[in-house]
Amino acid sequence: MTGKNSERSEQVHAGDPVTVDRYTTAARINHWITAASLVLLAISGLALFHPKLFFLTALFGGGETTRALHPWIGVVLFFSFLGLFLRFWRANLWKREDGTWMARLHDVLAGHEEKLPEIGKYNAGQKMVFWLMSILIIALICSGLVIWDQYFSAYSSVEQKRIAMLLHSLAAIVIICVWIVHVYAAIWVRGTIRAMVKGSVTGGWAWRHHRKWLRELVTGKTEKSGADKKPAE
């Protein structure tokens, strides 16, 4: 049989192996536009950040072109991530089991998933990345507008621009670190990248890593949070 969730367009398909829809084509395109924008912003931003990295501007056609393109890529990132936020914010709300998952982080790192509570579509680590990205992108776009002199120079003082530049740089450093953690985790948890490439995961992957989510898809019922509920052996 095929379990369905019409609201999220997620289905469980019988077969060998069983496959589970995780992301629609539109969601995957949205994700990869966001990822590409973030990478381009990181490279162009680092090129403008320090003279020793200025050689990176050659990738964008020179210093002037890099300076002109960087803020526009930031605008693309903001609206692209906004699309992801509107799609996934509900699934990233904190649940009681997320606190238990964090408390047992040593078991997560050791791969002892049998000691963890059943998890919905996203675990606590993924939710933290989502909300950190949300906060940091807001900080980047707001501070970026203040220092975008071509269009907004008349709306802030020199002192405000200096503060905005400092905040922009700090937020950029943090978001690059968060992105690295996000990519590493996707590679570390085998089968995760498939979700954003093909849009589906195997039933075994869903059962092992996001059992509560899989159970809800099959039964069509949303389960109550159970922080101490352990997966069956």
Side-chain angles (χ1 to χ4, degrees):
M1 295 181 64
T2 302
K4 298 182 179 180
N5 186 317
S6 58
E7 181 182 353
R8 293 176 291 182
S9 300
E10 296 167 351
Q11 301 182 14
V12 181
H13 304 278
D16 186 18
V18 172
T19 58
V20 185
D21 296 333
R22 189 159 172 85
Y23 297 112
T24 63
T25 300
R28 299 199 307 277
I29 292 173
N30 194 171
H31 170 270
W32 289 115
I33 290 174
T34 302
S37 299
L38 187 56
V39 170
L40 291 174
L41 277 173
I43 295 172
S44 58
L46 289 172
L48 298 170
F49 182 73
H50 196 278
K52 289 187 176 181
L53 297 175
F54 189 75
F55 69 92
L56 292 173
T57 59
L59 298 173
F60 301 90
E64 291 186 6
T65 306
T66 302
R67 183 66 185 89
L69 287 176
H70 182 79
W72 283 111
I73 299 173
V75 172
V76 173
L77 173 68
F78 174 77
F79 284 105
S80 181
F81 187 83
L82 179 61
L84 290 179
F85 184 88
L86 294 176
R87 289 176 187 276
F88 300 126
W89 71 269
R90 287 186 181 86
N92 281 279
L93 293 176
W94 199 260
K95 300 292 179 65
R96 192 175 64 177
E97 63 262 26
D98 294 322
T100 304
W101 190 93
M102 288 298 298
R104 300 176 186 174
L105 191 58
H106 58 287
D107 290 320
V108 175
L109 298 177
H112 299 155
E113 298 198 40
E114 71 280 358
K115 298 181 180 180
L116 301 173
E118 293 189 0
I119 296 299
K121 185 166 185 177
Y122 300 111
N123 61 43
Q126 292 169 314
K127 290 179 179 181
M128 290 178 68
V129 167
F130 177 84
W131 292 110
L132 278 172
M133 283 284 190
S134 301
I135 294 169
L136 290 167
I137 287 175
I138 291 174
L140 286 168
I141 192 69
C142 290
S143 58
L145 291 175
V146 174
I147 59 178
W148 196 355
D149 285 344
Q150 184 177 358
Y151 299 105
F152 304 103
S153 61
Y155 301 101
S156 58
S157 65
V158 173
E159 188 64 28
Q160 289 171 332
K161 294 181 193 298
R162 289 172 178 170
I163 295 173
M165 180 64 77
L166 177 61
L167 292 175
H168 195 78
S169 300
L170 291 174
I173 292 171
V174 175
I175 202 170
I176 290 172
C177 292
V178 172
W179 178 82
I180 291 172
V181 171
H182 174 61
V183 172
Y184 177 78
I187 296 172
W188 182 47
V189 181
R190 185 178 177 182
T192 300
I193 294 179
R194 166 183 168 147
M196 269 302 170
V197 175
K198 296 184 177 181
S200 64
V201 293
T202 63
W205 184 94
W207 180 253
R208 180 178 181 184
H209 300 295
H210 299 273
R211 191 169 301 188
K212 182 180 176 183
W213 170 65
L214 178 61
R215 201 188 302 276
E216 290 175 352
L217 288 181
V218 173
T219 63
K221 298 178 181 179
T222 301
E223 297 183 8
K224 294 181 179 179
S225 297
D228 299 315
K229 188 176 181 180
K230 296 182 181 180
E233 295 295 338

